Amino acid sequence: MAVGSVDVTYRGVFQKNLAGVITKELVRAARREGKIGGTVQRYGDSPERNGIPAKQFAIIAEVEDELHVEMAKYEPDKVTVLCVMDDTLVKGVESWAWYGVQPIDVNLAPGGTLLLISKRSPEELLRWIPRRDFAWNLATLAGEPCFGGLWVYNDNGTDYRTLGAVSRVTDGLVGLASLCVQAEASSDGGRRAALLRDGYETVEIHPVAPGLGAENNYTPVEKPGWTEMREGLIIPAIEVGRNNELFKKFTTRTARPLVKFEACVKCQICYMICPDECFVPTSSGHYDVNYEHCCGCGICAEACPVSGCIEMVDEAAFDSNERLHNLYEADPGAYEQMREEKLARAGGPIPHYGVY
Amino acid sequence: MTAAQQAATSAPPEILEREDIITGCEAVAQALRLLDVDVFAAYPIRPYDSVMTAVSKMIANGEMDAEFIVAESEHSQFEIGKHASLVGARSFIGSSGVGWMFGMEALVVTASLRLPVVALVGNRALDDPGAFGVEHNDALMVRDTGWLLYWVGTAQEALDTTLLAYRVAEDKRLMLPCALSMDGAFLTHSQHVVRVPDGELVRRFVPPYDLGDRRFHPDNPVSIAPQFNEDWVMEARRQSDAAMRRARTVIREATEGFAQVFGHGVQDPFLDSYRMEDADYALLGMGTVGMVGKVAVDRLREGGKKVGFVRVKWFRPFPGPELRSVLRDAKGVGIVDRDYSFGSNSHGGVLYTEVAAALYVSQQRPRLVPFIAGLGGREISVDNILEMEAIVEEAVAAGEDIPCQWIGVRGPKTDPRETEEGGPG
């Protein structure tokens, strides 16, 4: 082994502590094998916002020089295993820094593994994961996304199950035995060791052939040289009524507002209250939703005075960010049918979304 | 020309509005009136505050038309100046000592936003202990941030350099803020004969402030100072660096332009070199120390010693080429710092460190002797200069580097508890 890089891509704030436990436990266990390691929080994501795609990495190396090279990077460019802690993240990752919306697997090394906490089938997930020109593995560990908070740790076993799965899919980058010895050093050792073994045994590994997956149309954001930039830290303003094309925000979303246009009373509250100006006036007086720029905060659904008009629906029920009001205008019946299908696929609207 | 002869030289009377006996701060205020400055942001602290008094009096008397905004702190004062400059108003700020430090964040962003605000720093010792007297550490704190920095030597120079500062700062090639430093008390509060030029000449020398397409206005929708992160910051820094690299050319042109318009001026924009032509020994400093320095040089010359004085005027951009040239043939040079940089190389001050670095690339360079003098407003006398010159001669004769000497401090020259390992610092 030269260097092993474990990328934990997670939902900012809600899974920050989870990512910290996974990466640090990996390094601690690796130390028990005489290896050396460290973890890196992707700096561009700090301070995190709720739900924003964020990353923490564990670097495991045989010798210090290898480690130092990797620790000098914001993120490793060849990830051995990419753990995705919420499966809606496979739609893309846009951090605070100027990377644009990146495919989830942008840094995956050839032959590497994308490990998802998900109940979905590989086929369903590959509709969203962009294709690569090399073979890789899609691993799924059955489970719901584990969401906590900065001060509340959701101790549902996702941490140690994921660690067990990482050991398995990397063929012992860090051995299960070392992870168990490390876990058993804690007061909760027995339970943690059982979770490690469960993750190790239940993770499903599906080889993915080159070219399999969704269309990959990612182009990195082009950054100008210093003579091409305007002087005095000036950039063009976003005109009123438009949104920032270089920062779309939709990858922060775990649920989206779905509007029942026939129930809408055109009160304008959603239009006025949306912090990201995502409600777009239409000629019919309804407000269409700009899903490219909606971060799924749920303030609109909370503010809408009409029961059942704006509802927050699991993002995984949707395949694109296309606006939907056109469909409603062309055929209100078809729109309503689509809306009900989406709600059924999502298992109904999410009640009290974003309200604590 | 001796110091006395220099002072006696006067400009042709027809280009003068009047001659007056005014302080350095009042001289700056006269320049600001002639420049038709639009916005004064102000917050009082001695000794800079004399300029506030002078400007507000002129506004009250109807001699000038400007917004005079008294902020609730230096930080707000500097932000007001920055924003005024951003919307296209010629603006002026200033402070002293810890007041300048308190507004540091606003000063730094003024430089990175490339806004040609002009500031007056009435040099004052940093608290604690409380003191009104001069030390140069306050203004020096912005030396690395993209501020042009000038040390004024006389009240006339205060007026002239204020005109020059706006012309240089607002030059399209630079767009950098400029701070003028004036020794507290010795310049801010002492009154000298000053020639106030005619307003029409000032308008000819300094064109109207034009921010161009950077002007913040509803008709020009732009975002300024967004979060850049690691992807853009280095390029932005390189732009500021490029502007500062152009500064020497702009300053030279402006200095020549000054002489053309006003009929008097200086040859060397960067250094005020006094009797340096054949000097074996020299002393070098900034600000009003130049006045006594020249007198000391005259006395030493009368005694047959080949001594000169170099007053550094522009500190940013630093006059490396001029220093290498003027000090090339000297045997020894004493650097008089009216500031400190505790723990620095040879325990010298900031000026010493910069001069030493500038001379390092020279094949032929003098022995440098660092001095710290005049801290907290302590007087620097002619005798002090003579004492320093003697130490420089001794160092040259001994062929030894000497660690920094404090001149005019009470108590022993050295303390056995100061350990010396491996020579002078």
Side-chain angles (χ1 to χ4, degrees):
Chain A
M1 184 196 82
V3 177
S5 303
V6 180
D7 173 335
V8 179
T9 299
Y10 64 94
R11 291 271 174 215
V13 178
F14 306 137
Q15 297 182 315
K16 184 185 181 74
N17 293 321
L18 175 65
V21 167
I22 293 170
T23 49
K24 281 186 247 175
E25 277 296 88
L26 265 178
V27 175
R28 289 191 193 106
R31 294 293 291 149
R32 291 178 184 272
E33 297 176 2
K35 294 168 186 161
I36 190 159
T39 86
V40 184
Q41 288 173 279
R42 189 170 65 182
Y43 193 66
D45 301 330
S46 181
E48 291 170 6
R49 281 85 49 82
N50 285 358
I52 195 163
K55 297 182 180 185
Q56 186 163 356
F57 310 98
I59 313 292
I60 312 291
E62 299 279 5
V63 293
E64 280 209 17
D65 280 8
E66 294 169 341
L67 179 65
H68 294 165
V69 170
E70 293 303 310
M71 297 293 277
K73 297 174 185 170
Y74 280 112
E75 46 179 290
D77 38 23
K78 288 196 171 54
V79 169
T80 319
V81 54
L82 164 60
C83 309
V84 181
M85 306 316 292
D86 169 29
D87 62 7
T88 57
L89 283 163
V90 298
K91 291 187 169 191
V93 170
E94 184 180 35
S95 82
W96 193 358
W98 292 75
Y99 303 124
V101 179
Q102 291 182 323
I104 184 70
D105 55 354
V106 69
N107 292 324
L108 191 66
T113 302
L114 196 162
L115 169 64
L116 280 159
I117 313 300
S118 181
K119 285 185 160 171
R120 288 173 229 282
S121 67
E123 293 71 30
E124 197 176 352
L125 294 165
L126 280 168
R127 287 187 306 152
W128 293 318
I129 303 172
R131 63 180 67 116
R132 305 303 298 261
D133 56 8
F134 51 76
W136 54 283
N137 295 308
L138 175 60
T140 50
L141 185 62
E144 297 285 346
C146 171
F147 285 164
L150 277 184
W151 312 109
V152 184
Y153 191 67
N154 184 352
D155 192 8
N156 71 352
T158 301
D159 41 15
Y160 286 87
R161 289 184 72 229
T162 304
L163 282 162
V166 167
S167 178
R168 167 87 179 281
V169 303
T170 55
D171 204 14
L173 170 69
V174 177
L176 182 67
S178 322
L179 283 162
C180 285
V181 171
Q182 171 61 31
E184 278 157 5
S186 78
S187 59
D188 197 19
R191 176 177 158 267
R192 289 179 181 179
L195 290 165
L196 281 165
R197 279 189 285 274
D198 177 71
Y200 190 89
E201 284 156 17
T202 62
V203 64
E204 291 179 25
I205 306 172
H206 317 273
V208 180
L212 213 60
E215 198 178 333
N216 187 349
N217 47 18
Y218 174 61
T219 38
V221 174
E222 219 168 283
K223 295 165 200 159
W226 67 272
T227 54
E228 297 156 335
M229 285 163 56
R230 291 186 69 176
E231 300 208 4
L233 314 184
I234 286 182
I235 58 172
I238 308 294
E239 285 170 43
V240 174
R242 299 186 69 92
N243 304 79
N244 188 350
E245 291 308 312
L246 293 173
F247 190 53
K248 295 192 169 174
K249 292 189 90 168
F250 73 85
T251 66
T252 298
R253 194 167 66 216
T254 51
R256 68 165 68 183
L258 189 60
V259 185
K260 185 173 185 176
F261 289 114
E262 66 185 32
C264 171
V265 296
K266 305 175 182 178
C267 69
Q268 303 192 334
I269 288 177
C270 57
Y271 172 69
M272 289 188 286
I273 209 166
C274 175
D276 290 307
E277 298 178 21
C278 290
F279 283 86
V280 186
T282 67
S283 54
S284 63
H286 297 111
Y287 291 89
D288 203 359
V289 185
N290 175 352
Y291 291 116
E292 287 277 300
H293 291 90
C294 165
C295 69
C297 68
I299 288 172
C300 52
E302 183 61 21
C304 178
V306 181
S307 174
C309 177
I310 301 181
E311 291 177 310
M312 296 304 289
V313 182
D314 187 351
E315 181 59 27
F318 301 87
D319 293 330
S320 89
N321 287 329
E322 264 174 57
R323 297 187 188 183
L324 299 173
H325 185 260
N326 275 349
L327 176 60
Y328 175 77
E329 273 215 319
D331 186 346
Y335 178 84
E336 192 51 26
Q337 195 183 340
M338 178 278 301
R339 203 180 70 87
E340 279 165 15
E341 275 170 18
K342 293 294 184 192
L343 280 165
R345 188 169 153 194
I350 303 170
H352 308 299
Y353 178 85
V355 179
Y356 301 100
Chain B
M1 221 179 351
T2 66
Q5 284 169 330
Q6 228 174 20
T9 313
S10 60
E14 64 269 21
I15 64 163
L16 289 186
E17 183 187 274
R18 66 175 184 275
E19 190 180 275
D20 212 342
I21 301 178
I22 51 179
T23 66
C25 278
E26 286 164 344
V28 170
Q30 287 299 324
L32 298 173
R33 173 180 62 82
L34 295 167
L35 285 156
D36 193 20
V37 168
D38 301 304
V39 173
F40 293 88
Y43 185 81
I45 183 169
R46 268 192 279 184
Y48 134 87
D49 61 345
S50 302
V51 80
M52 286 178 64
T53 321
V55 166
S56 53
K57 211 179 274 179
M58 285 193 287
I59 293 173
N61 288 344
E63 293 171 50
M64 65 185 296
D65 179 21
E67 292 293 328
F68 190 92
I69 304 166
V70 182
E72 103 300 351
S73 71
E74 287 86 358
H75 191 284
S76 302
Q77 188 214 149
F78 303 161
E79 282 288 337
I80 290 165
K82 180 191 84 175
H83 285 93
S85 183
L86 196 57
V87 298
R90 180 172 284 165
S91 57
F92 178 84
I93 60 169
S95 193
S96 291
V98 289
W100 182 248
M101 305 292 291
F102 181 71
M104 191 55 68
E105 183 195 12
L107 295 174
V108 169
V109 294
T110 301
S112 57
L113 290 181
R114 304 279 301 282
L115 293 169
V117 174
V118 172
L120 171 66
V121 185
N123 293 133
R124 167 177 169 161
L126 299 176
D127 295 349
D128 282 337
F132 301 132
V134 51
E135 275 175 9
H136 292 167
N137 283 82
D138 51 3
L140 283 170
M141 290 291 174
V142 296
R143 71 184 168 143
D144 301 326
T145 63
W147 275 78
L148 301 161
L149 262 177
Y150 188 101
W151 254 269
V152 178
T154 66
Q156 183 66 54
E157 198 181 316
L159 193 154
D160 294 351
T161 311
T162 306
L163 305 177
L164 190 78
Y166 277 98
R167 160 123 170 204
V168 169
E170 293 173 3
D171 189 290
K172 284 266 187 304
R173 292 165 287 179
L174 300 197
M175 288 289 175
L176 293 168
C178 182
L180 304 177
S181 277
M182 293 204 311
D183 290 356
F186 301 115
L187 193 46
T188 57
H189 282 64
S190 57
Q191 297 175 354
H192 303 255
V193 174
V194 174
R195 300 180 301 273
V196 181
D198 180 70
E200 180 49 38
L201 294 182
V202 172
R203 283 186 287 280
R204 210 182 297 166
F205 177 60
V206 187
Y209 174 39
D210 178 13
L211 199 53
D213 66 357
R214 293 172 56 213
R215 186 177 168 215
F216 202 54
H217 190 272
D219 295 341
N220 180 37
V222 288
S223 277
I224 297 180
Q227 186 76 13
F228 266 27
N229 291 348
E230 70 272 13
D231 300 302
W232 300 75
V233 172
M234 196 158 171
E235 285 70 26
R237 298 279 182 258
R238 184 67 181 84
Q239 291 181 330
S240 296
D241 169 63
M244 198 53 104
R245 287 180 196 226
R246 294 189 287 264
R248 287 176 53 82
T249 305
V250 173
I251 288 167
R252 195 174 291 284
E253 286 174 13
T255 308
E256 284 163 11
F258 187 96
Q260 282 162 15
V261 172
F262 296 102
H264 72 107
V266 293
Q267 285 293 312
D268 184 343
F270 300 103
L271 301 178
D272 175 11
S273 302
Y274 184 68
R275 305 186 83 167
M276 282 300 295
E277 299 78 34
D278 59 346
D280 291 328
Y281 305 99
L283 288 142
L284 183 148
M286 298 198 296
T288 55
V289 71
M291 293 194 263
V292 282
K294 289 173 183 177
V295 176
V297 163
D298 288 344
R299 288 199 196 164
L300 288 160
R301 286 271 175 181
E302 279 164 28
K305 284 188 174 161
K306 291 182 180 175
V307 180
F309 193 92
V310 177
R311 183 168 63 88
V312 172
K313 296 188 290 186
W314 287 99
F315 189 86
R316 285 289 183 270
F318 196 74
E322 289 74 19
L323 284 170
R324 285 190 283 276
S325 166
V326 77
L327 301 179
R328 190 184 54 218
D329 297 323
K331 293 175 187 161
V333 179
I335 315 292
V336 189
D337 265 290
R338 208 162 204 163
D339 62 82
Y340 48 82
S341 179
F342 299 128
S344 68
N345 179 43
S346 287
H347 306 286
V350 177
L351 182 60
Y352 164 75
T353 307
E354 294 262 349
V355 173
L359 296 184
Y360 182 80
V361 296
S362 279
Q363 292 297 315
Q364 191 184 343
R365 56 183 187 238
R367 185 172 299 283
L368 295 186
V369 183
F371 295 104
I372 284 176
L375 293 190
R378 182 145 307 173
E379 296 161 3
I380 300 178
S381 65
V382 173
D383 284 345
N384 290 149
I385 305 282
L386 296 176
E387 181 187 352
M388 288 186 259
E389 195 276 336
I391 295 171
V392 172
E393 279 195 51
E394 281 169 32
V396 169
E400 273 177 17
D401 286 329
I402 296 178
C404 183
Q405 307 281 304
W406 284 51
I407 302 301
V409 67
R410 289 188 299 276
K413 287 244 180 263
T414 55
D415 184 321
R417 289 168 296 182
E418 295 172 1
T419 57
E420 279 298 326
E421 290 168 18

